[in-house]
Amino acid sequence: MCSSDLLPDYDVVIVGSGPAGMTLARELGGSGLRVCVLESGLEKPTPRGDRLREVQSTGIHIKDYSRERVLGGASSTWSGLSSPLDDVDLEARPYLPRSGWPLDRAELDEYYGQASERYRFPAPELYAPGGFDTLRAEGEREPQWEILHEKIFLAAADAQDFGKEWKSCCEGEGTDLLLDATLVELESDQGTVRTALAQTRSGRRVPIRGRAFVLAAGGIENARLLLDANLGNEHDQVGRYMMNHPKNYCGILHLTEPVQSLPYFFGCQVGANAGYAGLRLPDEVLVQRELLNAYVRMEPLFPWSDNEGVEYLVLLVKKCKGLLTFWTKRQGQAVIAMRDYSETGDDSDLSNTRRSALGTAALSLRVLLHLPSVLLYLFFRLSGRSPKIRRVRLRNFMEMEPRADNRVTLAQATDPNGRPMAQVQHDTGERDRASLLALHEVLREEFERTGLGTLGPDLEQARPWPITQDASHHMGTTRMGREPQTSVVTPQCRVHSTTNLYCAGASLFPNSGCSNPTWTIVALSIRLARHLRAELQGSGA
C-alpha cells in the first residue's frame, strides 16, 4: 500500500475488486474522476486473507472459497455460468411481502447488453428464441412440455477472472489499486462518510478520503461493514433477507429408451460459450400457485461420473489455458456435447482446492490411480462418441424467499484486525421447499406424459431435506427499495440515511430468482457508474 502521505483525495473509493468493484472502477475510468480500489488481499491467496474470509454460520454452511480475499474476489473461483433474471423475479408478488425490484425489465436489459459487450458475457440474444434453443434439434429427443419452461444458462468457455483480466484499468492515470488494504472503519459526520480507514497486514492504518464510497465486498461483507460502522441500520434492515441458491442432487430420471445425445439439455459447448437448458415452472404458474422460482439441471450419468481422476484431468486441462483455447478454436462452431459435469457449469469443493506445484503433481498422480476410468472418458471425449445414457440425475437449485430472520449479524469473535466477524443464519423455509416439491411433481408428470422416462426417488420423502449446499450466491442483505423502513439502499444504490455511501453487488437484490447473479451484478455496477458520473461531475469534480 502507498504511504498515506502520498494518497490524494479521491472522488470515489471502492471497497472490493470482485465483479462489482472492478466493473465500477473500469466504468469510471476516463471520466476525469479520481478513483481508488481497496482490496483486502493480494494478487494470490495468502494465509492472512484466508483468515479474514472466515465467517460463523448456522443453517446452510457458508463455504470458505465463496468469500475470497484476493484480487478479483469471488470471480477467482467461479465457473462463469450466467442467466438473466426472469420477469417474475422483478415483479411485486402479493404472496411475497416486500417483493419486487425498483427498476423495470427494459432498464435492466439495457445494462445486460452493455455487460455482455464489455465483460465477455454471452450475447443476450442467445437466451431468446432462435438463440441457444436451436440446439434442441441436435438431440435424439425433443420433448414437448405442456407446463415446464426451459431456462438457458451459458458461460464463457474460459470464465472471466475480473482481477486478472481487468487489473489494467487500475494502472492508468486516475485510478489507484491498493492491495493489502482491509477496510476497518468508516468515519462519518451527520450522514456523510468522510474517511475510510484501511489496515495493512503490518497493522498500520491508512486514512483514505473521498467524496463517495462504495461497498462492493460481497453479500455478507457489505452487511458486516455497515453493521460494524453503525451506518444505514436505523430501521433494523441491514443484514436481513439473506438469500442463497441452495443446491444439491436429488432425483434420478430413468429413461424409457437410452439416448446418446441431448446436448441442449445435458450441456454442450459451441464456439466460445458453453451451457445447457434447465427446467423450471413458467412465471404464470409460479404466481397462480404462489411459488418461488426453482429449477433443475439434468446431468447424464456416464460410467465415469463422479470419478475423481476424471475431474482432476478436466481441472488440469482447464489450467492449461493455451491448450484449452487451441482445442476450442479447432472445434469451430461444432456442437461439443459435454461428457462430464466438471467440464463446465458448476463449482465443486475439489475444483476450488488450492494447488501448489507439489499439489498439482499429486493431482496428476490421482489421474493415474484412476486410469481405467480416465481412459474410458478420454476415448469418448476425443472420439466424439457417447455411450448409451440410461439414467439422468437432477441437480436442484432453489430460490429462497426473502425472510427477515435469515440474516447477517456481528459475532462475538473477531478477525485478525480485531473487528467482529460475520455471523450468518440462513436456511430454507416452508415456501422454498414447497416450490421445489411442486416443480418435482410437474417434472414427474411431464417425463411420463412425454414418454421420456420415470422420476424417482420422491423428494418429498427425503429426510433430512437434502438441498442444503451453499451456492456461493450471497444476496439481499442490503436490499434496494424506495422506502427506508423496508430496504437499506435507494434505487440508485445509496444507503438511505447517508449522502455519499453506496453498495454494489448481490447484496442489493430484493429477490433472487434462480439465476446465477454475476451478470446482474455487473449490469448493476455499470448502472451505478453512470449515476456516480452524473452526480460527481455535475457537482464540480
Side-chain angles (χ1 to χ4, degrees), residues 361-375:
L363 185 150
S364 302
L365 180 61
R366 269 307 170 89
V367 173
L368 294 176
L369 291 175
H370 293 272
L371 195 57
S373 293
V374 170
L375 290 176

Side-chain angles (χ1 to χ4, degrees), residues 293-315:
N293 195 2
Y295 93 94
V296 301
R297 169 183 176 176
M298 295 196 288
E299 294 182 358
L301 288 171
F302 297 106
W304 54 82
S305 290
D306 297 325
N307 182 275
E308 282 192 355
V310 172
E311 185 171 356
Y312 279 130
L313 176 66
V314 173
L315 291 175

Side-chain angles (χ1 to χ4, degrees), residues 291-508:
L291 300 172
L292 297 165
N293 195 2
Y295 93 94
V296 301
R297 169 183 176 176
M298 295 196 288
E299 294 182 358
L301 288 171
F302 297 106
W304 54 82
S305 290
D306 297 325
N307 182 275
E308 282 192 355
V310 172
E311 185 171 356
Y312 279 130
L313 176 66
V314 173
L315 291 175
L316 283 172
V317 172
K318 285 183 177 180
K319 288 179 179 293
C320 300
K321 299 291 186 181
L323 176 62
L324 186 62
T325 301
F326 172 77
W327 184 78
T328 298
K329 287 183 178 179
R330 284 288 302 269
Q331 307 307 309
Q333 292 300 306
V335 178
I336 308 166
M338 293 300 153
R339 290 291 176 259
D340 192 75
Y341 81 93
S342 62
E343 292 179 352
T344 190
D346 200 7
D347 59 15
S348 69
D349 291 339
L350 181 63
S351 65
N352 285 287
T353 300
R354 300 272 172 76
R355 305 290 178 200
S356 62
L358 185 60
T360 300
L363 185 150
S364 302
L365 180 61
R366 269 307 170 89
V367 173
L368 294 176
L369 291 175
H370 293 272
L371 195 57
S373 293
V374 170
L375 290 176
L376 187 63
Y377 162 78
L378 282 173
F379 170 77
F380 285 105
R381 161 48 62 223
L382 298 177
S383 69
R385 300 170 60 184
S386 172
K388 289 186 179 297
I389 299 164
R390 293 177 170 82
R391 298 186 305 142
V392 178
R393 68 181 171 191
L394 302 187
R395 191 164 178 84
N396 303 268
F397 297 84
M398 301 174 65
E399 179 183 12
M400 291 179 69
E401 179 179 6
R403 303 197 332 265
D405 57 342
N406 281 336
R407 63 185 304 194
V408 176
T409 57
L410 297 179
Q412 293 295 319
T414 58
D415 67 15
N417 292 322
R419 309 310 301 179
M421 292 172 58
Q423 172 72 54
V424 182
Q425 161 56 45
H426 77 313
D427 210 341
T428 56
E430 183 178 347
R431 193 187 303 274
D432 309 347
R433 294 188 289 271
S435 299
L436 186 58
L437 288 171
L439 174 57
H440 270 241
E441 175 188 348
V442 173
L443 287 167
R444 185 176 295 105
E445 294 170 355
E446 291 277 54
F447 289 159
E448 292 179 2
R449 184 190 59 79
T450 59
L452 193 61
T454 57
L455 178 63
D458 191 345
L459 175 60
E460 190 169 12
Q461 303 303 317
R463 298 290 185 277
W465 178 257
I467 317 303
T468 58
Q469 291 183 1
D470 173 19
S472 305
H473 302 162
H474 308 146
M475 305 167 283
T477 56
T478 68
R479 66 200 325 255
M480 64 166 66
R482 294 184 172 85
E483 301 297 330
Q485 292 79 10
T486 58
S487 60
V488 177
V489 304
T490 69
Q492 290 73 41
C493 308
R494 176 178 55 79
V495 175
H496 281 293
S497 58
T498 72
T499 64
N500 67 337
L501 178 59
Y502 296 79
C503 290
S507 67
L508 301 172

Side-chain angles (χ1 to χ4, degrees), residues 7 9 13 15 38 183-189 192-198 205-213 229 231 500-501:
L7 294 178
D9 287 356
V13 178
V15 181
L38 303 182
L183 176 66
V184 290
E185 286 188 39
L186 289 170
E187 296 180 346
S188 61
D189 177 28
T192 298
V193 177
R194 306 294 183 184
T195 305
L197 287 178
R205 291 194 172 189
V206 180
I208 302 163
R209 296 174 294 275
R211 297 171 62 206
F213 295 80
L231 289 170
N500 67 337
L501 178 59

